[in-house]
Amino acid sequence: MSGQSITDRIAAAQHSMTGSAISKAVCKATTHEVSGPKKKHLDYLIHCTNEMNVNIPQLADTLFERTANSSWVVVFKALITTHHLMMYGNERFIQYLASRNTLFNLNNFLDKGALQGYDMSTFIRRYSRYLNEKAMSYRLVAVDFTKMKRGIDGVMRTMNTEKLIKTLPIIQNQLDALLDFQANPNELTNGVINSAFMLLFKDSIRLFAAYNEGVINLLEKYFDMKKNQCKDALDIYKKFLYRMTKLSEFLKVAEQVGIDQGDIPDLSQAPSSLLEALEQHLASLEGKKTKELNADTRASTLSSAVSSLSSTGMSFSRMDEKEKQQALEEEQARLQALKPVFSVLFTCMSSFSPSGFDALGDLLKPTVPTHTAPPPPPQMAIHHGGKLLANDLDSSLANLVGSECRDTCWSQPGEKKLTGGQNWQNKTMSTTQWSPAPVAPQPMPVPHVAPAPMAFPMTTPQVPVYGMMGGVPVMAPQPMMYNQPVLRPTNPFAPMPGAQMQFM
């Protein structure tokens, strides 16, 4: 099977529709394509682990769901993606994995229906056990051995004896799970297992570097330990020599599959005389008759062993420095690729006029030519009839409104103007000029005889009026009577005979 399957494309489309970018990236990184996860998808997931608003449990659960697939390709790539995030992602990711009671339960995984299904299923079971052990180690010591500080002032070199004896067996267990992968060069036949082997190779170098520094610290403290501590330390050192031999075999496989020789460290074992000196010192503490080396010979042997192990540690450090340099070169390459884009942007920003660009904001201000002066503000003419004031719009409007109200609404002192009557007309303010129109004198109201009662009387509610206007009491509105015909005329817009409005 090669390329993305229809299932992969459908799943990616579903995640695109639901807006789950993380689920889509996980789906893209764990397709049925027989190749390692693509770097762009892994980089995006690493970026997600550094975002505080990303749900780390949801990300991990999405990867766990992919390991429930029946295809060895999907499951293997899900494990690779998880391992990659444990190595290069934010520490929150591995913290969450360490907090879970169970991680990968793939001890019985077997893909019978695909090419290389039987062989790859074996490595999937071994690989999942290592990832479980890696998370368990973090749970026990709250630190990733592959990321801890190394050197003379490193964690393992400055650890006290009691804690050192408890920590080194944890490193041993994790290294055993890694070396149990046991892949031969003939079995590394596709891009999926090669990606997993490369991650295991990098972990083995860093893990053994921490293991090596812990043993150096152990040897420097050995001749000052108590009897029980010496017994445990001697056992740890013997296991260390055995694992160094297994690691050298693992590194030979790495060399055969094309890993650069400069990336493979040199393993220098301590002289065999050191082991003999350690055993003689423990025998003397136990009261056994043995020939123990004198102080000078013992110190010389110990110094030679520490020097050999330190040179191995320096070899491990060179690999880390090379990887850092490679990461720096990749970052510089990305910046060089973006340099033309930045150049275009800077060119566009020189193109703006300094007088029209605000450097402290994001507004473009229009430029004003120097030879033309801004037009003067509009002047208002004085209108004697309306009493307009020049350059004072508010005062002019106030005078006009006051003049209009005095002429149309308010009564002058000593006058009595009544409203109503059959000759009453509604007065409206002129909209074409500001000066008020002359008001015609109003005739006195003429008494009017009320007509006969109507068929359908209709009255408006009586609203009491309070106060006085212009010294004259204002009359309340009178009830209105409407004559309604019994039959409706044919034309609804024609005048209705007999219907007239009267004011009482």
Side-chain angles (χ1 to χ4, degrees), residues 37-106:
K38 293 183 179 179
K39 186 177 184 299
K40 61 180 181 180
H41 300 140
L42 295 177
D43 290 343
Y44 175 77
L45 293 176
I46 290 174
H47 172 73
C48 290
T49 62
N50 292 316
E51 295 293 331
M52 297 305 297
N53 59 342
V54 171
N55 191 336
I56 296 297
Q58 180 182 0
L59 171 59
D61 291 341
T62 305
L63 290 170
F64 294 149
E65 291 175 0
R66 298 297 284 174
T67 60
N69 198 285
S70 59
S71 171
W72 71 266
V73 181
V74 176
V75 176
F76 217 151
K77 293 172 77 170
L79 295 177
I80 294 171
T81 304
T82 304
H83 190 185
H84 196 89
L85 296 182
M86 295 173 75
M87 291 177 61
Y88 301 107
N90 192 280
E91 194 172 3
R92 296 187 303 149
F93 185 79
I94 191 173
Q95 285 176 351
Y96 172 72
L97 297 183
S99 67
R100 291 176 60 99
N101 294 328
T102 58
L103 290 182
F104 302 107
N105 187 14
L106 299 173

Side-chain angles (χ1 to χ4, degrees), residues 122-184:
T122 301
F123 292 109
I124 286 176
R125 294 193 294 267
R126 295 173 182 174
Y127 194 28
S128 63
R129 283 197 294 269
Y130 168 70
L131 295 182
N132 289 340
E133 190 65 34
K134 183 179 176 71
M136 179 59 66
S137 298
Y138 190 94
R139 182 186 225 176
L140 295 175
V141 297
V143 66
D144 188 353
F145 292 117
T146 64
K147 298 180 181 179
M148 63 170 41
K149 182 181 179 181
R150 297 198 298 269
I152 298 177
D153 57 345
V155 178
M156 299 304 298
R157 290 292 296 269
T158 58
M159 192 174 293
N160 58 50
T161 303
E162 183 178 359
K163 190 174 182 179
L164 189 64
I165 292 176
K166 293 180 179 179
T167 303
L168 285 174
I170 299 176
I171 302 180
Q172 290 176 354
N173 294 335
Q174 183 175 341
L175 186 62
D176 288 343
L178 189 151
L179 298 176
D180 191 48
F181 191 74
Q182 295 180 352
N184 296 322

